[in-house]
Structure formats: C-alpha cells, structure tokens
Amino acid sequence: MKILITGATGLIGKAIIRLALNRNFKVNYLTRDKTKIKSSANCNGFYWDINKDYIDLKCFEGVNVIINLAGEKIFQKWTNQAKKEILFSRIKPINLLIKGIKSSKKIGIKSFISASAIGIYQSNFEKYYSEDEIDDPRNFIQKIVCDWEKKSLSVRKYIPNTSILRIGLVLSKNDGYMKETDFPMKFGFGIQLGSGEQWQSWIHIDDIANIFLFIAKLNLSGIYNAVAPKPLTQKEFLKKIRETNSRKFIIIKLPIFFLRFLFGERACLLIDSHRVSSKKIIKLGYKFLYNEADHALNNLYKRNDNLT
Ligand SMILES: NC(=O)c1ccc[n+]([C@@H]2O[C@H](COP(=O)([O-])OP(=O)(O)OC[C@H]3O[C@@H](n4cnc5c(N)ncnc54)[C@H](OP(=O)(O)O)[C@@H]3O)[C@@H](O)[C@H]2O)c1
C-alpha cells in the first residue's frame, strides 16, 4: 500500500506515518513548509501551496490511498480572519487534491479518507450519538465541520471509496488535549470546566492512527465515529488523570460564565457535551487497543518517547 497524507506533519499525521512505515507501507506526504520535506526510501515529502493553487503532481505517483488531515488549528482566538482561515484551510486543500487527481494521468487511487470531528453533533448531555444523528448546524464549529464533510464527500465523484472519520479528543503524550489539560496541573491545579458533567469522547493516538489504516486496508466508504467505546464526563476524566498521573493537584471549578468571559464563543469547545458511539466501526471488526481511559492514560504517562 502507498499512502499520500496531507497535514502529515501534525499530531495525527506523524502517528499514521510511524505506523504505516512500521507495516512496510510507503508514504508520500504534502506540506506547505519546504523545510519539512524529507526523502527516504519509503517516505517522501512534496510541496503544495494552497493559496497559490500549487500541488506537486509527483506526490500521486503509485498512490492507492489518500488520507486528508490538513486544517488550521481550531483552538485559537476566533477573529473573523481566523474563522475564515479555519474553514478555508479545510476546503481549499480538498479542491487542490481534486485538481491534482484530475490532472494526474496514471492514477490508481482506491480510497480517500478524510478527517472530520465529533463537534459536528449538537451538544447534548443525554444522547449517545451514532453517525446518522446530524441536525442543522447551529454554531461555528458545526457549520465548518458540515462544510468540510460536504467537500470531502464531493471526492466520491473521482474516488468512490470515500470515507470520513469523525475524530474525538485525541489523547497523546505531548500534544493536543492532554497538553492543554496538563498545563495547569504543573502548577498544582486540575480545572473542572463548568459543571464537569459534559461528555468527552476521547481516543488514544495509537487507535486513531490504526483506524485510518484499518479503513484503508478494508477499502471502506462512509462515515465513522472515531472515539473509544467508553466516553467519560469531564469530571470523571479529571478523576482518572488524578489516579494515573503522578502529579498531585487540587480541582478548581471554573463556572461557565467565566469560561465564556475568558474564551468568548469558543468556550463551546470546553463546555459542550458529546457522547459518541463507536459501535459502527467495532461492528466492522475494529478492535480498540485502548477501550478504557485509565489504560490509555497509564500507557501515555509511562511512555518515554518524545514522539507521542
Ligand atoms: N487532534 C484532535 O484531537 C482532533 C480532533 C478532531 C478532529 N481533528 C482534525 O484532524 C485533523 C488532524 O489533526 P491534528 O491534531 O493532527 O492537527 P495538527 O496537529 O494541527 O496538524 C494539522 C496539519 O495541517 C496542516 N495545516 C495547518 N494549517 C493549515 C492551513 N492553513 N492550510 C493547510 N494546511 C494546514 C499542517 O501541515 P503543514 O504545515 O505540513 O502543511 C499541520 O501539520 C485536523 O484537521 C483536525 O481538525 C483533530
């Protein structure tokens, strides 16, 4: 298998590359940063410039699967300009891939797998979301994720096996959700966000990388939630961290009005509740490496590599 990955220099992309190379797959990747282009026998970087509509067509040579992860970080100050960039950085790369696919002659791409996010679901404290429970978007996140999914699905015209992974909070040692949670803990505080009753559907970094390759291997199409089978409330999560982490901390409760004052509209990323089901991917035979949060956290805290 030869995989082309966009957004490959980020958290999830790096994990997929490591796993793919371990399995002796070949990897091409696209980056906007020329300093990140490296070449080796099995892994080769290629340049694209999304703003100038440029893509190095050599990146498609011999590729069977495209994994699309490109996108501006969501947890940043939501100015009007940033909001535009968050949306366009998910739409324009797909347009450019389509342009590349159309102009590459000898193309044998069998599947296209694109990232998405569980933020597409409405915040709800009771529902247990399966993939078909989508309502009209109400907030900025739902709107961009809907547009992102629509654009991803438009690739079906060229690559019928197109799939979307709605990713939950990725747990990894040195980046993303755990890095943010860990920061106040360095000073002895764990932060309870609002009531702490909001559901957090998490996934271990090794599982998310594994699921992308599982979908690729089975040539699946459709939409899949990519979350571990046992989501937790934010309060329960803090408890699990306290049990597994060697750091001692006291819990400070930040009320919702204060979070809204601090973060404005993007406070929804902290207080919204998403209890999301992974039954669909499990039914297809995917076996999670990390079902339980304490197992996932224990594994991450014990890791001494700098990669995850
Ligand atoms: N991590 C999570 O918890 C999580 C949860 C749900 C969904 N997701 C989604 O899954 C995807 C991958 O997540 P991640 O955590 O690996 O993200 P990440 O670490 O932020 O990496 C994203 C990559 O996208 C590229 N990128 C950044 N800004 C861009 C822009 N303006 N235009 C085009 N490309 C841009 C960058 O690659 P280059 O600089 O090399 O071009 C970057 O390495 C993202 O789209 C993210 O929204 C992540």
Side-chain angles (χ1 to χ4, degrees), residues 6-14 29-33 36 48 50 68-74 85-86 88-90 93 115-119 148 165-171 175-177 203 212:
T6 76
T9 59
L11 172 68
I12 299 174
K14 282 191 268 188
Y29 64 93
L30 282 159
T31 175
R32 301 159 304 154
D33 182 346
K36 292 182 187 163
W48 65 347
I50 284 130
N68 175 50
L69 305 167
E72 188 75 31
K73 286 226 185 282
I74 289 189
E85 199 46 46
I86 289 170
F88 290 152
S89 65
R90 288 175 168 75
S116 172
I118 59 167
W148 189 15
L165 285 183
R166 288 189 185 140
I167 305 170
L169 295 168
V170 175
L171 301 187
D175 208 347
Y177 178 76
I203 182 163
F212 270 100

Side-chain angles (χ1 to χ4, degrees), residues 32-264:
R32 301 159 304 154
D33 182 346
K34 286 184 176 163
T35 65
K36 292 182 187 163
I37 295 178
K38 309 248 154 64
S39 279
S40 64
N42 287 337
C43 186
N44 291 288
F46 295 87
Y47 180 67
W48 65 347
D49 186 333
I50 284 130
N51 294 321
K52 291 190 179 147
D53 237 14
Y54 171 78
I55 182 165
D56 184 344
L57 293 177
K58 286 197 220 82
C59 72
F60 293 106
E61 275 172 19
V63 164
N64 325 106
V65 177
I66 299 178
I67 292 180
N68 175 50
L69 305 167
E72 188 75 31
K73 286 226 185 282
I74 289 189
F75 201 73
Q76 56 172 292
K77 208 168 175 198
W78 286 357
T79 59
N80 286 340
Q81 186 53 36
K83 280 179 162 182
K84 270 190 204 152
E85 199 46 46
I86 289 170
L87 176 63
F88 290 152
S89 65
R90 288 175 168 75
I91 302 297
K92 284 201 240 162
I94 301 177
N95 284 337
L96 201 45
L97 282 173
I98 292 175
K99 190 178 148 195
I101 292 165
K102 285 203 291 195
S103 44
S104 301
K105 297 275 177 327
K106 295 176 271 173
I107 219 152
I109 303 167
K110 292 203 173 64
S111 35
F112 175 78
I113 311 167
S114 186
S116 172
I118 59 167
I120 196 165
Y121 299 114
Q122 308 280 1
S123 174
N124 193 297
F125 286 77
E126 278 100 41
K127 271 196 179 170
Y128 193 20
Y129 281 110
S130 59
E131 287 79 354
D132 48 3
E133 289 184 88
I134 292 294
D135 287 318
D136 289 338
R138 281 194 211 145
N139 64 19
F140 168 65
I141 285 297
Q142 284 157 12
K143 190 183 168 329
I144 59 147
V145 183
C146 271
D147 289 353
W148 189 15
E149 288 199 357
K150 268 187 209 145
K151 181 49 76 178
S152 301
L153 289 175
S154 74
V155 177
R156 273 194 300 212
K157 192 170 161 199
Y158 312 96
I159 307 172
N161 278 338
T162 287
S163 48
I164 286 176
L165 285 183
R166 288 189 185 140
I167 305 170
L169 295 168
V170 175
L171 301 187
S172 106
K173 191 171 178 185
N174 296 314
D175 208 347
Y177 178 76
M178 276 182 68
K179 191 175 162 196
E180 305 293 334
T181 326
D182 207 43
F183 181 70
M185 289 175 191
K186 286 185 184 153
F187 304 96
F189 306 112
I191 308 293
Q192 180 182 308
L193 303 164
S195 69
E197 298 294 341
Q198 64 274 41
W199 288 97
Q200 295 189 318
S201 296
W202 57 276
I203 182 163
H204 188 289
I205 183 75
D206 292 352
D207 271 312
I208 189 63
N210 225 352
I211 290 181
F212 270 100
L213 297 188
F214 175 83
I215 300 260
K217 191 175 163 209
L218 296 190
N219 255 318
L220 297 176
S221 57
I223 299 178
Y224 303 91
N225 291 331
V227 293
K230 295 190 181 168
L232 293 177
T233 65
Q234 197 252 334
K235 225 191 229 173
E236 288 168 336
F237 219 101
L238 274 181
K239 225 174 117 197
K240 294 279 180 205
I241 294 177
R242 194 144 58 172
E243 285 162 12
T244 43
N245 191 344
S246 53
R247 268 197 196 107
K248 297 283 168 269
F249 56 85
I250 54 162
I251 291 175
I252 306 278
K253 298 177 184 176
L254 294 187
I256 289 182
F257 76 84
F258 186 65
L259 293 167
R260 290 222 165 94
F261 169 75
L262 271 186
F263 296 106

